[in-house]
Amino acid sequence: MTQDNLFPADFLWGAATSAYQVEGAPLADGAGQSIWHRFSHTPGLVANNENGDVACDHYHRYEADVALMRELGLNAYRFSVSWSRIFPDGKGRVNEKGLDFYRRLVDALRAANIQPLITLFHWDLPAALDDRGGWLNHNISKWFADYATVMYRALDDRQPIWATLNEPWVVTDGGYLHGPLAPGHRNWFETPIAAHNLLRAHGAAVEAYRAIGKGNIGIVVNLEPKYAATESKEDRDAVVRADAYMNRQYLDPIFLGKYPPELAQLYGQAWPQFADADFSLIRQRIDYLGINYYTRGLTRHDDKQMIERAIRVRNPRATYTETGWEVFPQGLTDILVWVKEKYGNLPMYITENGAAFYDPPSSGEVVDDPLRVDYLRRHFNAAREAMRRGVDLRGYFVWSLLDNFEWALGYAKRFGIIHVDFETQKRTLKASAKFYKDVIRSKGGNLG
Ligand code: FCB
């Protein structure tokens, strides 16, 4: 590989986690309950009735975890803040002890020369706000901006990169339409309203940041490029619908100030009139776009599917991960180039990419995960290819630093590059972590 093919010297090489998935101690130091605490403590909603009470115990072990990041040579770390640690009642009173945890974490990262990327909302809404309607309540944009402002005041001087929301599409599709994720609703009519309020909250938090913040703020979306399963007109139309619903529903309002034209028809009677003023709030300038990429959607027309009337079908020749996602690195190149061409050449980060595979029992010292190594190698190359095509990609965060609580799937699906023994909390570097360390050290020189 020639020098030109190396990743830039200031490229951010990171790993990502989220509060409820790794922290544990969800009620410590005066924190309030989140909807994920409530959901996972409701029997039958999470595999094996597991919950985040202990998770990776990162709340107590963050210093050792930062030392592991350092050992890998990471120069960035993406984590999220638990809103209900800061506002136990959802709004009003601020819990300083909750803030202190994130102050300590950011200071530890800074001391290790690791750039923090802080997500303000990664799904764990304060239960007290859900009691007031959660994402269906119009006032949530203000509650979110107030919370965001407290975080900016506490941490902006440490120069983190900020992200408002993580994957608003998953929040609405999983939390309000199909129900496997908290708060577990199944309601077609609620879905566009929750989506709109997420976007308004994002806009309000960006607006608040412009008033007092000095650094960079963006949003994290999950994107899944859609490809037709056959050349039929039906399947090609299904691709347009699936793309409007999953990818453009959030990006069009943010970058173009309006919803994709297909959505009104797809939602039908459930589609309300939205105030014009909302779109200027939503269409705030952002400094970067964060993209979570895991797989593509090989798409077929299917009238039985709600809203998009499209379904993801299996590619018989492909490798699949343990969560049933096709390994398709080219989709990462395609989606990055698509964003650049459709919405403009703004800085981008891959804020999540990774895979759950079965990990063989650990001998205590090594965990061999060749499928994950192969997955990462191919996706790093796909990202590098997008950069060759002019995408302004600034960094890459592997999901995840640690095996953790994978929402409704519990602890069985392991995404970490570091193995966690949940009995003892022992961390063991997987082969993928060692591979990543070499990628970082050589700036991608070992990928070729
Ligand atoms: C994403 C989530 C993240 C994790 C990965 C596997 O949708 O943002 O928390 O669950 O999927």
Side-chain angles (χ1 to χ4, degrees):
M1 204 175 239
T2 65
Q3 278 303 106
D4 303 348
N5 280 333
L6 298 182
F7 283 78
D10 57 358
F11 196 76
L12 292 188
W13 294 105
T17 62
S18 88
Y20 192 75
Q21 293 180 276
V22 301
E23 285 176 358
L27 304 180
D29 297 328
Q33 292 189 17
S34 74
I35 57 170
W36 267 98
H37 182 77
R38 199 143 80 175
F39 192 80
S40 62
H41 281 265
T42 308
L45 298 184
V46 172
N48 302 316
N49 289 320
E50 287 166 341
N51 59 52
D53 285 3
V54 179
C56 307
D57 195 30
H58 177 73
Y59 192 76
H60 300 115
R61 294 169 195 262
Y62 71 92
E63 282 178 306
D65 289 338
V66 171
L68 285 170
M69 295 176 210
R70 204 179 176 154
E71 187 181 331
L72 295 184
L74 302 189
N75 61 1
Y77 174 55
R78 173 175 177 240
F79 65 92
S80 78
V81 175
S82 163
W83 188 345
S84 52
R85 288 195 196 280
I86 313 302
F87 284 93
D89 312 315
K91 59 199 187 80
R93 181 176 59 92
V94 172
N95 177 30
E96 280 296 322
K97 284 191 171 168
L99 277 175
D100 282 342
F101 169 67
Y102 297 104
R103 288 193 183 103
R104 290 195 301 273
L105 173 59
V106 170
D107 287 347
L109 292 167
R110 281 283 167 218
N113 282 321
I114 296 170
Q115 168 70 50
L117 193 159
I118 307 179
T119 309
L120 291 167
F121 175 70
H122 199 128
W123 306 0
D124 46 356
L125 186 73
L129 294 184
D130 195 50
D131 291 340
R132 295 168 185 264
W135 292 108
L136 299 173
N137 190 318
H138 197 75
N139 295 327
I140 198 163
S141 55
K142 178 170 174 357
W143 302 334
F144 184 63
D146 288 349
Y147 153 60
T149 301
V150 166
M151 296 313 304
Y152 305 151
R153 292 220 164 96
L155 295 176
D156 201 50
D157 62 341
R158 277 102 156 163
Q159 300 178 316
I161 299 168
W162 296 97
T164 54
L165 309 175
N166 178 69
E167 301 190 350
W169 180 83
V170 177
V171 174
T172 62
D173 187 76
Y176 288 87
L177 183 67
H178 295 291
L181 303 176
H185 297 198
R186 293 184 182 169
N187 190 314
W188 180 310
F189 285 79
E190 290 179 356
T191 304
I193 296 173
H196 192 66
N197 285 332
L198 279 153
L199 283 165
R200 289 177 53 253
H202 156 76
V206 175
E207 187 176 65
Y209 190 66
R210 296 304 174 209
I212 57 170
K214 297 199 169 52
N216 290 330
I217 190 162
I219 186 171
V220 171
V221 291
N222 56 295
L223 297 180
E224 191 179 293
K226 306 291 183 182
Y227 305 80
T230 72
E231 282 308 306
S232 73
K233 166 129 182 23
E234 276 202 317
D235 287 353
R236 281 184 283 126
D237 289 349
V239 160
V240 174
R241 291 195 301 273
D243 180 56
Y245 174 56
M246 188 165 178
N247 299 322
R248 288 183 280 124
Q249 177 167 200
Y250 293 89
L251 294 183
D252 277 17
I254 290 170
F255 291 111
L256 312 176
K258 54 180 196 246
Y259 282 108
E262 296 88 350
L263 284 190
Q265 213 204 337
L266 294 185
Y267 279 105
Q269 275 186 27
W271 189 251
Q273 188 97 66
F274 295 114
D276 286 346
D278 289 351
F279 293 96
S280 41
L281 180 67
I282 293 167
R283 190 189 192 173
Q284 304 274 320
R285 179 181 60 79
I286 52 175
D287 300 304
Y288 74 92
L289 181 68
I291 295 170
N292 293 353
Y293 176 79
Y294 288 93
T295 189
R296 70 159 163 176
L298 190 60
T299 304
R300 202 170 63 201
H301 173 97
D302 182 350
D303 272 326
K304 290 191 295 300
Q305 302 305 315
M306 284 194 274
I307 299 179
E308 51 189 339
R309 287 185 290 115
I311 194 165
R312 197 157 82 184
V313 295
R314 228 179 137 83
N315 169 7
R317 303 184 63 203
T319 306
Y320 277 76
T321 70
E322 284 237 312
T323 47
W325 299 341
E326 180 187 351
V327 178
F328 192 71
Q330 187 205 317
L332 178 57
T333 314
D334 290 353
I335 203 73
L336 290 168
V337 171
W338 175 79
V339 168
K340 174 183 93 127
E341 285 173 359
K342 184 161 172 59
Y343 300 109
N345 198 7
L346 81 164
M348 292 184 230
Y349 294 99
I350 294 161
T351 32
E352 288 180 27
N353 173 250
F357 286 113
Y358 170 78
D359 292 325
S362 145
S363 66
E365 296 312 317
V366 207
V367 178
D368 274 327
D369 57 345
L371 291 174
R372 188 173 291 103
V373 171
D374 185 51
Y375 181 100
L376 292 176
R377 176 189 291 116
R378 293 167 65 195
H379 285 83
F380 293 148
N381 273 318
R384 192 68 192 87
E385 174 60 18
M387 293 166 81
R388 268 182 222 112
R389 295 210 216 153
V391 171
D392 185 6
L393 187 69
R394 305 276 177 100
Y396 206 115
F397 295 79
V398 171
W399 185 273
S400 179
L401 179 74
L402 303 166
D403 290 335
N404 62 46
F405 176 75
E406 180 48 30
W407 309 113
L409 304 176
Y411 292 95
K413 304 296 175 214
R414 292 176 174 270
F415 275 90
I417 55 173
I418 298 176
H419 180 271
V420 177
D421 178 336
F422 292 106
E423 300 291 311
T424 61
Q425 291 295 338
K426 180 174 178 337
R427 275 83 161 131
T428 306
L429 300 191
K430 300 183 191 178
S432 55
K434 295 178 183 164
F435 164 71
Y436 193 28
K437 181 176 179 171
D438 276 351
V439 173
I440 298 169
R441 194 170 39 204
S442 64
K443 301 188 176 59
N446 62 339
L447 292 173

